């Protein structure tokens, strides 16, 4: 319906044939889905395949290598070479570059697919009325004609025409769509403007595209420059060999060594690192999503490993958030002094199953016959925006809305209705679907809601204006201290009379409140009402005074069983937990004791503060308090941001949880903003991570996974650098020593293809180290590659290169199948044709020595890949089979290498030859020590704590996240 903004509400409803009180039926949903399609915004088109392929060749070094291969081919033709020899090297170079491009395309495609899957985890949801019941569905399942409920903080799931407004006004942020600098007010009236633009459509709520942020810095700039410089040196050092007769002239010799230098650069410089790092991060964040931690910003994965303080909400995060009313306090009578009556309520789930008991433990047969209890049920049902429904598939009662409001709905069901002697048994005869909200619907049918004042953090209360038979009343619920301060009268439970709220009665109620909140650790709400002038159509804040107190309810929200171990894990990992809550200090302290947050304390003094207490501290004492604080109570959203900033000024890396609209600034300011899955869309959009299950334990699992992801990325880079250093050492030192070329350009490219492809990517599947949560958080500015770690890279890389050269020399000097010439003869190979020798000069063109070298390089890098299962843990602790992907990639790499050795056409293309068993034995002897060397280095890393200051900084590795100033 293109012109819904210009039509009246009734016209729009009639067009879609929808009943606003029941919504669409299942058959209508199916028909509308067929007619109108899915509710999906158009996505940005992905990069075409052909463009991805061309991108892989859009590299200066690759272009230079292709050009040199073409020049080499032309020179061969000019010299009269027309056979296979003229085509072999250029064609193989092009073939390997094509294979490299294919690997690059696959890597980038997989990275993009992984990011797409992460976006799927962030799918929007909508609260929809269908078949007379509200339910939460994916926004993509919406069809035109659906009745959708939108509340404070929600993201608009589709373009929608407003048909009813339950509050006085509604403001929406549509800046992404229209560019308007502030939120705009919406109304129900149809638009009369001709050629209306978006700003004119004031009765339409728009859905907007909010793309996932992604910024990846290039790593290896320093490394690339160093390797490029070394490659130039390789060419310069070999100038003396340009005239070698084996090359057929000065120019061809120069081009030959130029190709070696460029091939070395292509092999050693990790141009594809950003895509592989993105893949590594995306794979890790998918694992985190399976743990119910949905990462919205890839850079935040790095920050998780640096987190030193977690500021966690209490309700729903440390507790189950399955709120249920367990205690009720009302005024019984004033005839014989102010006597407060106390009731207990059974049942701790959202099921409307439970009973009311008096102070003597006797069950009330008909709770609704008691005046205060009856008014509590009425207020609980009407001053409420939640929904409770039965899910037949899961066979449980589910909530839509705030847990405290759902608890009040369940209480109204347990109290029942007035005027029915057989009330409890009559309700039990209903189906579970009908029973879910039967009593609540009764009150909603009896009273018509006219206006509402939404809950706000400053007032700590909510009010609704209701009308019934020419009687208008205001029902209010909120924090006990806020309600009591506005009450002047109180309802008596025994006769329904209203009496003045004296100081003595107030003191008695406050005493019961402190008992509920303190010793019994209950979350308390007070309920009140007020008779309003007949015909009043709206509420104002000034109406919330001179109220009549109805009663006090205490809600139980038990701590999650698994939180105690998670808190202990945080302490072991060097992460401090600060519980941040708006609840009463005594209540929160009791919960903290139960979850182990105060286990290390004998006295809470200096560790537990209310927001007002903290604000009143002098500056120096505030600094000391921040270093010791474990609990922060009576907190408003503004205090959260203040806490984050104060901790960041002490160089702490702060994770902050939140769920409300007003929590967004604190979530944005925190180094890691963590929104609750049940929270508002505003909070989620301001966060870096969303907890799908609202569970504190998930945060700890995410920190562990974040550390593991970071470690895997480091291991991948370590493998790349040490392998590349080995290739550079091999070529450079061979030139310095004056021995023949150990590897040809095509062989270098082949090694790069098989070693930097599968094994490097498989390292991203490494499992967590067993001690990942035993290490202290790393510093924000700590080098990714510290001086000691870089020294380890150099040692391993140097061994890789020297082992490759050793294999080459061994064949000439010691191999039974080789010439067994003295080492000095090998160094003077280029003058062989100019002097008499005991051996033919053709031995220097034999393919065996370069095949041994090439095989040593491949095998030693496979052993080196096993070294990278963990940065410091021994292979005895983390065996190879802990990462079967890596084992499989190593096996496949060796099989591919054997393929080119033993399949004759391929052997010719790569200038290799089959190796004998004795030669394979030497290859293994030369390759395996890389394991022993790294085990020794790991031992020193675990025990000596050697560190140097030189290193690459954090920003070179991962996407940057502006810490402390998001």
């Amino acid at each position: 319906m293109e012109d819904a903004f210009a039509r009246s509400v009734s016209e729009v409803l009639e067009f879609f044939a929808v009943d606003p009180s029941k919504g669409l039926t299942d058959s209508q949903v199916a028909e509308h889905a067929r007619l109108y399609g899915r509710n999906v915004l158009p996505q940005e088109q992905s990069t075409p395949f052909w463009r991805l392929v061309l991108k892989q060749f859009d590299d200066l070094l690759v272009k230079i290598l292709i050009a040199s291969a073409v020049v080499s081919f032309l020179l061969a033709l000019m010299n009269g070479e027309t056979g296979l020899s003229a085509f072999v090297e250029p064609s193989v170079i092009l073939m390997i570059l094509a294979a490299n491009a294919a690997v690059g395309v696959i890597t980038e495609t997989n990275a993009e697919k992984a990011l797409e899957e992460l976006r799927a985890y962030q799918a929007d949801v909508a609260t929809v009325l269908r078949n007379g019941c509200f339910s939460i569905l994916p926004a993509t399942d919406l069809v035109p004609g659906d009745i959708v409920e939108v509340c404070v903080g929600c993201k608009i799931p589709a373009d929608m025409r407003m048909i009813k407004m339950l509050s006085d006004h509604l403001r929406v942020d549509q800046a992404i769509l229209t560019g308007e600098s502030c939120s705009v007010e919406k109304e129900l009236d149809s638009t009369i403007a001709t050629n209306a633009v978006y700003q004119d459509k004031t009765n339409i709520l728009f859905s907007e595209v909010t793309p996932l942020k992604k910024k990846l810095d290039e790593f290896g700039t320093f490394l690339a420059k160093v390797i490029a410089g070394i490659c130039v040196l390789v060419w310069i050092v070999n100038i003396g060999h340009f005239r070698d007769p084996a090359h057929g002239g000065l120019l061809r010799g120069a081009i030959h060594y130029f190709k070696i230098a460029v091939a070395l650069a292509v092999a050693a410089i990790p141009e594809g690192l950003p895509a592989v790092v993105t893949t590594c991060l995306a794979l890790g964040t998918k694992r985190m999503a399976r743990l119910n931690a949905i990462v919205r910003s890839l850079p935040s994965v790095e920050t998780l490993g640096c987190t030193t303080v977690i500021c966690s909400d209490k309700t729903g995060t440390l507790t189950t958030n399955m709120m249920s009313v367990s205690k009720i306090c009302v005024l019984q009578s004033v005839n014989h002094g102010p006597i407060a009556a106390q009731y207990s309520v059974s049942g701790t789930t959202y099921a409307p199953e439970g009973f009311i008991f008096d102070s003597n433990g006797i069950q009330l047969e008909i709770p609704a016959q008691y005046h205060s209890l009856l008014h509590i049920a009425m207020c609980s049902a009407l001053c409420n925006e939640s929904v409770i429904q039965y899910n037949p598939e899961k066979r449980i009662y589910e909530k839509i809305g705030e847990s405290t409001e759902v608890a009040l709905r369940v209480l109204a069901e347990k109290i029942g209705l007035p005027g029915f002697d057989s009330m409890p048994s009559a309700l039990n005869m209903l189906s579970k679907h009908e029973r879910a909200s039967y009593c609540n619907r009764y009150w909603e049918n009896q009273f018509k809601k006219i206006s509402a004042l939404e809950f706000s953090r400053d007032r700590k209360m909510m009010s609704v204006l209701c009308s019934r038979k020419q009687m208008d009343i205001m029902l209010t619920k909120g924090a006990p201290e806020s309600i009591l301060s506005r009450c002047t009268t109180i309802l008596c439970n025994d006769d329904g009379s209203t009496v003045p709220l004296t100081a003595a009665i107030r003191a008695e109620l406050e005493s019961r409140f402190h008992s509920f909140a303190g010793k019994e650790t209950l979350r308390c709400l007070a309920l009140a009402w007020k008779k309003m002038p007949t015909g009043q159509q709206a509420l104002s804040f000034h109406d919330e005074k001179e109220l009549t107190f109805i009663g006090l309810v205490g809600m139980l929200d038990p701590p999650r069983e698994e939180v105690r171990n998670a808190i202990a894990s945080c302490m072991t990992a060097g992460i401090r937990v600060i519980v941040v809550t708006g609840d009463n200090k005594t209540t929160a302290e009791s919960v903290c004791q139960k979850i182990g947050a105060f286990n290390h304390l004998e006295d809470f003094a200096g560790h537990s503060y209310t927001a007002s207490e903290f604000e009143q501290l002098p500056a120096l004492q505030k600094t000391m308090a921040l270093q010791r604080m474990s609990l922060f109570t009576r907190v408003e959203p503004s205090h959260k941001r203040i806490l984050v900033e104060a901790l960041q000024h002490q160089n702490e890396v702060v994770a902050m949880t939140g769920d409300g609209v007003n929590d967004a600034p604190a979530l944005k300011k925190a180094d890691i903003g963590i929104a609750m899955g049940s929270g508002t869309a505003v909070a989620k959009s301001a966060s870096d991570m969303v907890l799908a299950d609202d569970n504190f334990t998930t945060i700890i699992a995410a920190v562990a996974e974040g550390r593991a992801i970071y470690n895997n990325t480091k291991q991948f880079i370590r493998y790349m650098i040490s392998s590349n250093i080995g290739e550079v050492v091999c070529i450079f030192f061979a030139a310095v020593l004056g021995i023949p070329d150990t590897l040809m350009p095509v062989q270098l490219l082949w090694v790069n293809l098989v070693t930097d492809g599968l094994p490097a990517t498989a390292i991203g599947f490494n499992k967590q180290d067993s001690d990942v949560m035993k290490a202290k958080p790393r510093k924000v500015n700590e080098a990714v590659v510290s001086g000691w770690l870089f020294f380890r890279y150099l040692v391993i890389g140097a061994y890789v290169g020297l082992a490759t050269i050793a294999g080459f020399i061994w064949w000439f000097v010691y191999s039974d199948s080789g010439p067994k010439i003295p080492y000095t003869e090998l160094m003077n190979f280029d003058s062989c044709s100019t002097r008499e020798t005991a051996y033919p000069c053709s031995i220097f063109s034999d393919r065996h020595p370069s095949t041994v070298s090439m095989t040593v390089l491949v095998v030693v890098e496979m052993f080196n890949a096993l070294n990278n299962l963990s940065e410091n843990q021994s292979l005895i602790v983390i065996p190879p089979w802990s990462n079967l992907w890596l084992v499989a990639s190593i096996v496949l790499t060796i099989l591919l290498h054997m393929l080119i050795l033993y399949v004759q056409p391929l052997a010719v293309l790569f200038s290799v030859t089959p190796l004998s068993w004795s030669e394979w034995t030497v290859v293994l002897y030369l390759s395996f020590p890389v394991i022993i060397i790294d085990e020794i280095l790991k031992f020193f890393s675990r025990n000596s704590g050697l560190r140097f200051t030189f290193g690459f900084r954090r920003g070179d590795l991962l996407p940057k996240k502006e810490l402390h100033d998001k």
Side-chain angles (χ1 to χ4, degrees), residues 703-942:
V703 170
E705 191 63 42
R707 290 184 176 189
I709 292 170
Y710 184 79
N711 289 343
N712 286 351
T713 307
K714 282 175 63 178
Q715 291 308 101
F716 161 76
I717 290 170
R718 172 190 173 195
Y719 172 70
M720 294 281 285
I721 292 179
S722 55
S723 297
N724 293 347
I725 288 174
E727 294 169 13
V728 171
V729 167
C730 167
I731 299 299
F732 185 74
F733 274 87
V736 170
L737 293 174
I739 63 177
D741 302 334
T742 53
L743 296 170
M744 299 177 64
V746 292
Q747 294 170 338
L748 269 174
L749 293 173
W750 169 254
V751 172
N752 175 66
L753 176 65
V754 296
T755 61
D756 291 357
L758 294 173
T761 304
I763 288 172
F765 291 91
N766 284 350
K767 292 183 179 179
Q768 293 182 12
D769 286 357
S770 57
D771 62 349
V772 71
M773 287 300 285
K774 294 179 182 177
K776 301 301 179 187
R778 70 180 190 279
K779 300 296 182 184
V780 176
N781 58 352
E782 179 182 304
V784 170
V785 183
S786 63
W788 167 245
L789 199 56
F790 188 66
F791 172 75
R792 285 173 57 180
Y793 291 0
L794 287 176
V795 171
I796 296 297
Y799 180 79
V800 169
L802 294 176
T804 305
I805 294 174
F808 188 86
I809 295 173
W810 168 83
W811 189 86
F812 279 103
V813 179
Y814 300 107
S815 175
D816 291 336
S817 58
K820 291 189 176 181
I821 61 174
Y823 176 70
T824 53
E825 289 293 311
L826 184 61
M827 293 179 62
N828 295 309
F829 77 98
D830 52 347
S831 62
C832 177
S833 61
T834 62
R835 56 190 173 83
E836 290 188 8
T837 59
Y839 51 88
C841 294
S842 60
I843 64 169
F844 297 115
S845 301
D846 195 299
R847 290 184 292 176
H848 273 90
S850 62
T851 304
V852 172
S853 289
M854 181 183 178
T855 305
V856 168
L857 185 55
V858 169
V859 175
V860 77
E861 290 192 6
M862 293 304 100
F863 282 125
N864 190 31
L866 293 177
N867 286 334
N868 289 279
L869 284 166
S870 171
E871 182 176 328
N872 295 316
Q873 291 290 321
S874 169
L875 280 172
I876 298 173
V877 177
I878 301 181
W881 53 86
S882 65
N883 186 344
L884 293 178
W885 289 103
L886 182 59
V887 173
S889 68
I890 290 172
V891 171
L892 182 58
T893 297
I894 295 298
L895 289 176
L896 288 172
H897 184 68
M898 294 180 72
L899 188 69
I900 69 166
L901 294 186
Y902 296 101
V903 176
Q904 190 58 32
L906 294 176
V908 173
L909 291 176
F910 288 94
S911 298
V912 293
T913 190
L915 297 181
S916 65
W917 176 246
S918 61
E919 289 168 333
W920 271 107
T921 302
V922 171
V923 167
L924 293 174
Y925 279 146
L926 289 173
S927 303
F928 185 77
V930 77
I931 296 278
I932 299 172
I933 294 170
D934 201 55
E935 286 291 310
I936 295 171
L937 293 172
K938 285 179 178 179
F939 175 81
F940 280 111
S941 294
R942 291 194 301 270

Side-chain angles (χ1 to χ4, degrees), residues 166-169 449-453 463-467 472-474 530 532-544:
L166 299 179
S167 58
D168 292 332
H169 63 278
K449 286 188 185 181
I450 299 173
S451 179
L453 284 178
S463 299
V464 293
L465 177 62
C466 300
S467 175
D472 292 346
I473 60 172
M474 180 179 72
K530 177 183 179 181
M532 303 298 290
T534 303
Q536 183 166 334
Q537 294 298 310
L539 288 178
S540 69
F541 299 142
H542 299 293
D543 292 321
E544 294 178 325

Side-chain angles (χ1 to χ4, degrees), residues 206-506:
F206 296 103
S207 177
E208 298 142 15
V209 182
T210 54
L212 182 70
K213 295 180 296 182
K214 189 182 72 132
K215 180 182 178 184
L216 192 65
D217 291 337
E218 292 186 8
F219 168 73
T221 302
F222 172 78
L223 180 66
K225 291 178 180 178
V226 171
I227 291 176
I230 293 176
C231 292
V232 172
L233 282 177
V234 166
W235 189 74
I236 293 174
V237 168
N238 279 292
I239 287 178
H241 297 304
F242 287 1
R243 296 181 180 274
D244 189 337
H247 301 312
L250 176 65
L251 181 58
R252 297 188 65 178
I255 291 176
H256 173 77
Y257 286 106
F258 181 71
K259 282 190 291 187
I260 289 180
V262 176
L264 180 60
V266 170
I269 296 176
E271 301 94 340
L273 183 60
V276 179
V277 170
T278 302
T279 303
C280 188
L281 286 171
L283 287 172
T285 49
K286 281 173 64 179
R287 288 198 297 269
M288 291 171 70
R290 288 194 287 271
L291 296 172
N292 291 314
I294 301 166
V295 176
R296 301 186 66 255
S297 168
L298 287 185
S300 63
V301 172
E302 177 195 5
T303 314
L304 276 169
C306 304
T307 302
T308 58
V309 177
I310 298 175
C311 297
S312 173
D313 281 333
K314 177 181 72 68
T315 305
T317 307
L318 300 173
T319 59
T320 63
N321 204 21
M322 289 280 285
M323 299 291 291
S324 59
V325 175
S326 63
K327 290 292 176 69
I328 300 173
C329 178
V330 298
L331 179 66
Q332 184 64 24
S333 173
V334 292
N335 295 331
H336 306 287
I339 302 174
Q342 185 169 308
Y343 299 95
S344 58
V345 185
S346 64
T348 58
T349 67
Y350 295 140
E353 300 162 357
F355 304 98
I356 315 295
F357 301 87
D358 64 17
S359 57
N360 297 317
I362 300 173
Q363 179 184 332
L364 303 185
E365 292 296 330
I366 307 177
Q369 71 182 7
Y370 297 86
H371 293 278
S372 293
L373 294 181
L374 179 65
H375 280 74
I376 284 175
M378 181 175 68
C379 186
S380 296
L382 295 172
C383 192
N384 204 311
E385 294 180 344
S386 68
V387 175
I388 183 168
Q389 61 186 22
Y390 181 72
N391 186 325
E393 294 180 1
K394 298 180 181 178
R395 297 184 178 180
I396 59 172
Y397 289 90
E398 294 180 330
K399 66 162 188 167
I400 297 177
E402 294 289 335
S403 294
T404 52
E405 293 200 332
V406 175
L408 292 177
R409 287 234 183 255
V410 175
L411 175 62
E413 297 296 329
K414 292 176 181 178
I415 292 175
L417 300 176
F420 296 94
D421 293 338
S422 60
M423 189 73 247
S425 59
L427 289 175
N428 292 334
M429 295 173 66
L430 299 172
S431 69
K432 290 184 180 294
H433 176 71
E434 293 174 316
R435 181 67 188 93
S437 296
Y438 185 85
C439 299
N440 283 273
R441 287 201 184 99
Y442 169 84
W443 291 115
E444 289 170 346
N445 291 331
Q446 289 291 313
F447 288 85
K448 179 184 178 182
K449 286 188 185 181
I450 299 173
S451 179
L453 284 178
E454 303 292 341
F455 178 89
S456 65
R457 298 276 183 175
D458 53 344
R459 290 162 41 246
K460 295 186 175 66
M461 58 194 301
M462 169 195 176
S463 299
V464 293
L465 177 62
C466 300
S467 175
R468 176 177 183 253
K469 297 179 180 178
Q470 303 301 312
M471 180 182 71
D472 292 346
I473 60 172
M474 180 179 72
L475 298 168
T476 302
K477 73 171 189 291
E481 59 269 33
S482 299
I483 298 294
L484 270 172
S485 64
R486 289 170 166 83
C487 288
T488 55
T489 56
I490 186 169
L491 181 69
C492 291
N493 192 36
D494 60 349
D495 60 5
S497 62
T498 299
V499 299
L501 182 58
T502 63
I505 298 175
R506 192 183 297 272

Side-chain angles (χ1 to χ4, degrees), residues 536-608:
Q536 183 166 334
Q537 294 298 310
L539 288 178
S540 69
F541 299 142
H542 299 293
D543 292 321
E544 294 178 325
K545 61 183 180 181
E546 298 179 353
L547 307 177
T548 298
F549 190 87
I550 300 174
L552 178 72
V553 297
M555 300 181 183
L556 180 68
D557 183 15
R560 295 178 184 268
E561 294 180 1
E562 63 273 20
V563 165
R564 175 176 283 273
N565 290 335
I567 296 283
S569 179
C570 280
M571 293 178 180
T572 304
I575 301 172
R576 184 155 56 101
V577 177
I578 299 178
V579 179
V580 182
T581 177
D583 272 1
N584 176 275
K585 183 178 182 179
T586 309
T587 305
E589 285 179 346
S590 177
V591 172
C592 286
Q593 280 184 294
K594 291 180 180 178
I595 63 175
F598 287 163
N599 270 8
H600 59 300
L601 305 175
E602 295 181 1
D603 183 10
F604 301 163
H607 299 274
S608 174

